Amino acid sequence: MLGAAIGAILIRLAKYHEAVGPLKKAIEIDPAYAEPYAGLADTYVTLGSWENGSLPPQEGFEKGKAAAAGTDSSASDSEAPEFVVSSDSLD
C-alpha cells in the first residue's frame, strides 16, 4: 500500500509530523492492513518522546496506544483490525 510505504519512508527520515497524514490515509483506504496502525502508533510515541518534544509525553503515549488499538482513524470499530499477542510468542 502506497500510503503505508510513504509513511514508513518519512518515519525513517525522522519526518514524523509528515508521516501522520499518509499513514492515516492508508488506514482509511484499508482498515484491515496492520502496518499503518503500527507506524502511526510508533510515530505518536516518538513525537511524545523527550528527544522530539513536539507532543507532551502523555499525549504521545495515549495517541500511540489508540493508534495501535485501531481507534485513532476514521475507520469504524467494526472495521479496525484485532491484534492478538500470545504470551508464547514473546519468549
Side-chain angles (χ1 to χ4, degrees):
M1 166 147 323
L2 185 59
I6 292 170
I9 291 167
L10 290 169
I11 290 169
R12 288 189 185 268
L13 294 172
K15 296 184 180 229
Y16 303 106
H17 285 288
E18 292 90 343
V20 171
L23 292 168
K24 283 188 170 187
K25 186 66 176 174
I27 291 168
E28 183 182 313
I29 292 169
D30 187 359
Y33 187 47
E35 185 179 335
Y37 289 95
L40 191 57
D42 185 44
T43 297
Y44 281 137
V45 170
T46 301
L47 287 172
S49 70
W50 66 270
E51 295 161 334
N52 292 295
S54 51
L55 288 178
Q58 187 63 33
E59 183 181 347
F61 173 76
E62 290 300 326
K63 284 186 165 199
K65 185 176 168 183
T71 57
D72 185 59
S73 72
S74 58
S76 69
D77 288 338
S78 63
E79 294 174 324
E82 284 189 39
F83 298 97
V84 178
V85 178
S86 166
S87 61
D88 295 336
S89 66
L90 299 175
D91 294 331

